[in-house]
């Protein structure tokens, strides 16, 4: 089968399209014909050996897929060959066929197309876990979203609005903020030209945000924490700025607030039944249109490296997906 192959942990330019053996599912696994696969920031890290998961070489990146079941291994009964599914695979998705764990594969409603599922499973699953589980979002909350034009950021904007919250979107350009507005954000802050804490305080009458969603890290984490209300909840999801921040613990004490890590991978591993419940909620919202994953562009395997490079450079608003079944030279956007 054709796949984007990582032969050694190295920069993105070392990835090449080639042939890998089609995977055969073991007990508790299944194989999926991949119709669409999402591109996420961790995909750019895993091929360089900078992610928590380090697959045996060679492998294909791509941890978020949607397609049809090809074969199932022993003990797999909730799906069967021919079923439409989406899955979190950690890696292997930028290929015509990938292998997935049954516990991390979920039936896909007919009303949800493959592209939407591949664009939204990880980002919306992560944002849902953060907002509904860790932060216990309520109607009327004010939610600050950092990196709001990215995949998880836009998911958080939509999920918060669907829950009845007021959303403050923070991003790095007028173009990105316009995208946030289109997806429901109520207040827009360009944190490259405006003091984040002061702007949030001004937008909330001095009270601060009830929930802060942080996928950026770096210097913005402390600013978001300082802009949090009494009994606020700060969600640490990622460090797109590259720097892991040091948090002044006295701010947690003074604000009576919570700082929570949001690691969706571990939820699936440790609490599969709860993860499945949350994924079902997300997919139901996709099916009825309450949540609409944005696909900024789609490409074939030959365009995947360029797409990953753009994401790593933070030049992407919305979500990019790979279409492994597209023929060579058939990249699409």
């Amino acid at each position: 089968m054709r796949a984007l192959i990582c032969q050694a942990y190295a920069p993105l330019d070392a990835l090449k399209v080639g042939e890998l053996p089609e995977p055969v599912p073991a007990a508790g696994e299944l194989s999926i014909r991949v119709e669409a696969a999402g591109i996420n920031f961790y995909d750019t890290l895993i091929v360089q050996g900078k992610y928590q998961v380090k697959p045996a070489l060679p492998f294909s990146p791509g941890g978020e897929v949607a397609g049809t079941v090809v074969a199932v291994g022993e003990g797999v009964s909730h799906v069967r060959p021919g079923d439409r599914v989406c899955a979190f695979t950690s890696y292997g998705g930028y290929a015509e066929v990938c292998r997935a764990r049954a516990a991390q594969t979920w039936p896909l409603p007919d009303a949800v197309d493959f592209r939407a599922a591949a664009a939204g499973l990880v980002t919306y699953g992560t944002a849902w876990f953060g907002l509904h589980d860790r932060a216990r979002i309520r109607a009327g909350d004010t939610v600050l979203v950092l990196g709001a034009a990215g995949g998880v950021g836009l998911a958080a904007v939509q999920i918060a609005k669907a829950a009845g919250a007021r959303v403050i979107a923070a991003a790095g350009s007028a173009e990105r903020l316009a995208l946030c507005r289109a997806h429901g954000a109520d207040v827009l802050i360009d944190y490259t030209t405006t003091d984040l804490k002061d702007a949030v305080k001004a937008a909330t009458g001095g009270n601060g945000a009830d929930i802060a969603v942080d996928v950026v890290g770096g210097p913005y984490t402390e600013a978001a924490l300082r802009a949090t209300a009494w009994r606020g909840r700060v969600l640490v999801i990622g460090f797109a700025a590259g720097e892991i921040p040091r948090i002044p613990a006295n701010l947690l004490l003074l604000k009576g607030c919570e700082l929570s890590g949001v690691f969706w991978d571990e939820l699936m591993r440790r609490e599969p039944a709860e993860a499945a419940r949350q994924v079902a909620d997300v997919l139901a919202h996709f099916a009825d249109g309450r949540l609409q994953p944005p696909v900024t562009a789609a490409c074939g395997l030959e365009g995947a490296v360029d797409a990953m490079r753009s994401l790593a450079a933070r030049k992407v608003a919305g979500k990019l997906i790979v279409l492994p079944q597209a023929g060579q030279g058939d990249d699409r956007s």
Side-chain angles (χ1 to χ4, degrees):
M1 67 172 185
R2 296 176 70 245
L4 183 67
I5 302 173
C6 176
Q7 294 282 4
Y9 293 123
L12 298 179
D13 290 344
L15 298 171
K16 303 293 181 185
V17 176
E19 298 283 333
L20 286 176
E22 185 170 317
V24 177
E29 296 180 342
L30 62 149
S31 58
I32 300 169
R33 173 187 163 92
V34 182
E35 298 295 340
I39 299 179
N40 295 286
F41 188 67
Y42 64 76
D43 297 316
T44 71
L45 300 177
I46 196 169
V47 297
Q48 300 178 71
K50 296 180 179 180
Y51 193 61
Q52 295 93 326
V53 177
K54 293 183 171 58
L57 298 165
F59 72 96
S60 176
E64 174 184 35
V65 305
T68 55
V69 177
V70 175
V72 300
E74 182 181 354
V76 178
S77 59
H78 73 299
V79 294
R80 58 187 181 182
D83 284 354
R84 303 173 76 251
V85 295
C86 59
F88 178 72
T89 60
S90 295
Y91 58 92
Y94 301 163
E96 292 177 321
V97 179
C98 77
R99 186 168 55 191
R101 291 178 288 275
Q104 295 179 6
T105 302
W106 304 278
L108 189 63
D110 290 341
V112 182
D113 66 36
F114 293 128
R115 292 189 180 204
L121 178 60
V122 169
T123 51
Y124 285 75
T126 298
W128 188 280
F129 175 39
L131 287 167
H132 280 280
D133 186 313
R134 306 296 282 142
R136 308 174 303 282
I137 191 171
R138 301 180 294 263
D141 279 342
T142 295
V143 179
L144 167 65
V145 182
L146 306 185
V152 174
L154 281 178
V157 169
Q158 288 190 17
I159 290 169
K161 287 299 294 181
R166 177 174 182 249
V167 177
I168 302 173
S173 71
E175 179 184 14
R176 288 171 177 265
L177 289 172
L179 181 63
C180 298
R181 174 76 79 187
H183 285 272
D186 300 291
V187 179
L188 309 177
I189 297 173
D190 184 338
Y191 49 30
T192 64
T193 61
T194 305
D195 182 276
L196 179 64
K197 183 196 74 171
D198 291 347
V200 173
K201 289 284 191 178
T204 58
N207 293 322
D210 299 297
I211 299 171
V213 179
D214 182 14
V215 299
V216 179
Y220 300 109
T221 300
E222 182 175 336
L225 179 54
R226 291 183 181 277
T228 300
W230 171 254
R231 290 184 180 269
R233 289 88 77 196
V234 179
L235 303 175
V236 177
I237 297 179
F239 313 106
E243 178 187 348
I244 298 176
R246 295 181 179 274
I247 307 298
N250 65 306
L251 293 178
L252 303 176
L253 184 152
L254 294 172
K255 291 178 171 291
C257 66
E258 304 172 21
L259 186 69
S260 298
V262 181
F263 191 15
W264 192 60
D265 303 32
E266 280 297 288
L267 175 71
M268 289 184 290
R269 188 177 73 82
R270 294 175 181 269
E271 303 176 45
E274 175 60 22
R277 187 188 68 79
Q278 293 185 23
V279 169
D281 286 340
V282 169
L283 293 177
H285 280 60
F286 288 173
D288 65 18
R290 283 177 289 176
L291 298 177
Q292 298 179 346
V295 176
T296 303
C299 64
L301 291 173
E302 282 73 22
V305 172
D306 284 342
M308 294 171 72
R309 191 184 296 114
S310 294
L311 181 65
R314 301 181 65 191
K315 295 179 179 178
V316 175
K319 189 65 179 281
L320 305 177
I321 60 172
V322 177
L323 308 174
Q325 306 302 327
Q328 188 170 354
D330 188 30
D331 287 5
R332 288 171 273 176
S333 61

